[in-house]
């Protein structure tokens, strides 16, 4: 606590009425205390106010050197005004002003950013943040200090998902049924396994996960559309021997219902949670009613034990039968990707929207994410869970306003939490990276501020993301390659 000698030196008669009243309250409050004058620093409990005055909210095409300007006031005096870009301090300007800071906008990736200011007084009171969502122009594809290698691995054919082993290898699913292995940045010629799949539309090999004890047990879990017995999606476990699947090692975890003629909305991703259970994103087979039908495993997040049995503590297990006992969350359209926070408790689900919105949902046992009654933040009814974050398919009016700001896309595809052990700057740790298949962007969601910021442009249809806990790089799987974004 900083002693507020300047306040002590003043006569209460010279303080504004509100402050004088607070002095009175404080004196009463500490009258019975034994610590003498030490609480005097708390006498000023009136927070300053601050407002970002430039750039204007929703400004776009900002380029080159930008001057951020703010106004601030306080009952006693503004000690400093703090300026942030994307929740990182870029300047702290001492009172009494004027308050301005210059930044080189070219240090940030082009796209959406959020500027914020707040003021602090000598007693440590802070104002609320005043913020502006803006768009930086230019053509920078990653922030300054980062390296983007779009061709870290090439030669993939219709890739859909990937997973990284503790030894650094990547296992990459190709829609046509091959699971490829990347070792030391080299795509091995021999696949891990070749599956007979139906790969029409969005069908095929659509998900891969490794067991948490993969190094010991070699268990690889795949999600694919088999033509056997009527096209349907299957979740199976294989056992690795070196870089290939042990012959005859397939153990079926689940055979989902036979699909309709619709070849879209199969979901795909599967990941192990911190509870050691296998979670699977399953689409509604282009039949929206499936998403709300708790007797169907379609349009859901499913949860299994690693051996394929269904946990008895699944939220609807007691009142369901068959595969419906595996339902963990529902009301989803096409949860093509989702992610767990390494070492944390968060799970975010990316639900691909229909005509208007792409959404990030907070994964919660038993939650109903609203599809088809709601899409994105619109028409969310009581008892359903709105998205944490959503962005639209078309620019808002005016551009940048409303949920998602300047971000627009067609299909959210790829999610990964940046690990605490990573080499990116501190503000990235715990951030959630997500990508859009059509717009080719990678953005990061800042949960503390419920905001998303431009991070990278990768073009070429990103489908999956992986922030590696091993080397700290962000890997972006596109339909044909793995891009690597690292620092430096
Ligand atoms: Ca004050
Ligand atoms: Ca929803």
């Amino acid at each position: 606590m900083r002693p507020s000698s300047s306040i002590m030196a003043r006569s209460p008669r010279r303080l504004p009425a509100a402050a004088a009243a607070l002095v009175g309250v404080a004196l009463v409050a500490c009258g019975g205390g034994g610590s003498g004058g030490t609480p005097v620093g708390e006498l000023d409990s009136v927070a300053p106010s601050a407002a970002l005055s430039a750039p204007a909210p929703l400004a776009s095409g900002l380029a080159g050197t930008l001057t951020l300007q703010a106004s601030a006031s306080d009952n006693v005096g503004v000690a400093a005004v703090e300026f942030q870009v994307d929740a990182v301090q870029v300047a702290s300007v001492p009172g009494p002003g004027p308050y301005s800071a210059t930044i080189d906008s070219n240090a940030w990736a082009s796209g959406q950013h959020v500027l914020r200011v707040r003021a602090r007084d000598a007693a440590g009171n802070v104002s609320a943040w005043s913020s502006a969502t803006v768009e930086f122009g230019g053509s920078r594809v990653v922030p300054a200090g980062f390296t983007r290698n779009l061709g870290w691995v090439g030669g993939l054919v219709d890739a859909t998902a990937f997973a990284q082993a503790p030894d650094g290898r990547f296992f990459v699913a190709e829609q046509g049924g091959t699971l490829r292995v990347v070792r030391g940045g080299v795509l091995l010629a021999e696949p891990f396994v070749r599956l007979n799949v139906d790969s029409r539309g969005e069908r095929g090999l659509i998900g891969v996960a490794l067991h948490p004890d993969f190094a010991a047990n070699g268990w690889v879990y795949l999600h694919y559309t088999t033509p056997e017995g009527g096209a349907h999606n299957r979740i199976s476990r294989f056992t690795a021997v070196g870089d290939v699947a042990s012959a005859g090692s397939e153990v079926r975890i689940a055979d989902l219902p036979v699909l309709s003629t619709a070849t879209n909305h199969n979901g795909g991703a599967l990941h192990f949670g911190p509870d050691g259970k296998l979670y699977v994103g399953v689409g509604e087979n282009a039949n929206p009613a499936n998403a709300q039908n708790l007797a169907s495993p379609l349009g859901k997040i499913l949860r299994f034990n690693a051996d394929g049995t269904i946990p008895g503590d699944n939220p609807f297990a007691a009142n369901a039968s068959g595969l419906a006992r595996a339902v963990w969350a529902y009301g989803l359209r096409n949860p093509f990707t989702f992610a767990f926070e390494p070492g944390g408790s968060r799970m975010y689900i990316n639900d691909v929207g229909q005509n208007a919105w792409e959404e990030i949902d907070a994964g919660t046992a038993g939650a109903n994410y609203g599809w088809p009654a709601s899409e994105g933040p619109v028409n969310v009814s009581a008892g359903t869970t709105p998205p944490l974050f959503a962005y639209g398919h078309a620019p808002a009016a005016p551009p940048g306003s409303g949920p998602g700001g300047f971000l627009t896309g067609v299909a959210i595809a790829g999610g990964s939490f940046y690990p605490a052990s990573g080499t990116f700057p501190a503000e990235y740790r715990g951030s959630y990276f997500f990508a859009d298949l059509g717009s080719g962007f990678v953005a990061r969601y800042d949960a503390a501020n419920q905001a998303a910021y431009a991070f990278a442009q990768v073009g070429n249809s990103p489908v999956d993301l992986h922030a590696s806990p091993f080397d700290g790089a962000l890997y972006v799987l596109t339909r044909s390659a793995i891009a690597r974004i690292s620092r430096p």
Side-chain angles (χ1 to χ4, degrees):
M1 181 62 65
R2 177 173 171 169
S4 186
S5 56
S6 62
I7 293 177
M8 293 179 69
R10 295 183 186 188
S11 157
R13 289 191 304 273
R14 296 169 60 195
L15 291 172
L22 282 163
V23 168
V25 169
L27 290 174
V28 169
C30 66
S35 54
T38 50
V40 163
E42 298 172 3
L43 294 184
D44 175 18
S45 60
V46 180
S49 62
L52 182 69
S53 45
L58 308 183
S60 64
L62 299 174
T65 299
L66 299 182
T67 300
L68 315 183
Q69 294 178 288
S71 59
S73 61
D74 183 63
N75 63 318
V76 176
V78 173
V81 168
E82 178 184 0
F83 292 81
Q84 290 187 340
V85 177
D86 298 351
V88 176
Q89 181 176 305
V90 293
S92 180
V93 180
Y99 304 103
S100 70
T102 58
I103 62 168
D104 177 5
S105 67
N106 190 47
W108 285 267
S110 61
Q112 172 161 293
H113 297 282
V114 178
L115 312 176
R116 297 183 178 89
V117 298
R118 70 176 176 182
R120 181 182 305 276
D121 67 18
N125 301 304
V126 292
S127 72
W129 290 103
S130 171
S131 67
T133 298
V134 299
E135 186 181 53
F136 290 1
S139 57
R140 182 177 270 289
V141 294
V142 284
F146 288 77
T147 301
R148 183 193 72 166
N149 179 358
L150 289 181
W152 184 69
V153 169
L156 298 166
V157 178
D158 295 339
T160 53
F162 64 169
Q164 190 180 25
D167 57 25
R169 281 181 296 166
F170 279 92
F171 290 76
V172 186
E174 293 179 323
Q175 192 174 352
T178 41
L179 187 72
R180 308 295 299 274
V181 178
V182 173
R183 177 190 282 282
V186 175
L187 179 63
L188 304 186
E190 178 66 22
F192 177 85
V193 70
R194 284 187 182 85
L195 299 172
N196 177 31
V197 300
D198 177 342
S199 60
R200 291 176 293 167
E202 299 170 3
R203 296 177 179 176
L205 177 54
I206 53 178
V208 54
L210 306 182
H211 187 272
D213 292 329
F214 171 80
N217 59 31
W219 288 348
V220 177
Y221 294 76
L222 300 179
H223 189 184
Y224 66 97
T225 315
T226 176
E228 297 172 11
H232 65 280
N233 290 313
R234 173 181 289 166
I235 302 145
S236 282
R237 188 183 81 194
F238 296 78
T239 302
V241 176
D243 293 320
V244 298
S246 175
S249 66
E250 180 170 10
V251 174
R252 292 185 194 175
I253 302 289
D255 279 286
L256 297 172
V258 171
L259 296 164
S260 71
T261 55
T263 58
N264 54 344
H265 303 184
N266 296 280
L270 55 170
H271 297 283
F272 278 86
D275 56 359
K277 307 299 186 187
L278 178 66
Y279 292 73
V280 186
V282 177
E284 35 77 305
N285 190 205
N287 178 0
N290 283 331
Q292 294 294 323
N293 178 5
L294 286 173
S296 167
L298 305 180
K300 310 294 189 308
I301 296 291
L302 306 181
R303 177 174 178 260
F304 297 93
N305 293 312
D307 64 1
T309 58
I310 296 174
D313 63 351
N314 275 351
F316 307 107
N319 298 312
S321 61
L323 275 177
R325 292 175 299 130
V327 172
W328 186 77
Y330 68 112
L332 293 161
R333 182 176 176 273
N334 188 18
F336 179 66
T337 48
F338 66 92
F340 287 97
E341 180 179 23
S345 58
R346 286 182 294 169
M347 173 209 197
Y348 285 179
I349 304 162
N350 298 333
D351 198 15
V352 178
Q354 182 168 252
N355 298 320
W357 296 100
E358 300 303 310
E359 59 184 70
I360 300 172
D361 297 304
T364 306
N368 176 1
Y369 298 101
W371 177 254
S374 62
E375 180 183 353
V378 178
N379 295 328
V380 177
S381 57
T384 64
T385 303
L388 281 177
F389 183 80
Y391 62 92
H393 288 197
S401 64
F406 288 95
L407 294 173
T408 60
V410 300
I412 188 167
S416 189
F417 289 92
Y418 196 76
S421 60
T423 52
F424 288 7
E427 65 270 21
Y428 288 90
R429 294 170 197 160
S431 281
Y432 180 72
F433 287 106
F434 61 98
D436 188 87
L437 179 75
S439 295
F441 69 69
V442 179
R444 79 180 167 95
Y445 176 67
D446 167 7
N449 292 290
Q450 300 180 315
Y453 317 124
F455 175 69
Q457 260 295 334
V458 295
N460 197 28
S461 302
V463 289
D464 206 358
L465 295 174
H466 176 67
S468 174
F470 308 120
D471 67 0
L474 179 69
Y475 292 89
V476 184
L477 180 67
T478 70
R479 290 288 270 167
S480 59
I482 301 176
R484 182 177 188 268
I485 300 173
S486 60
R487 185 177 173 93

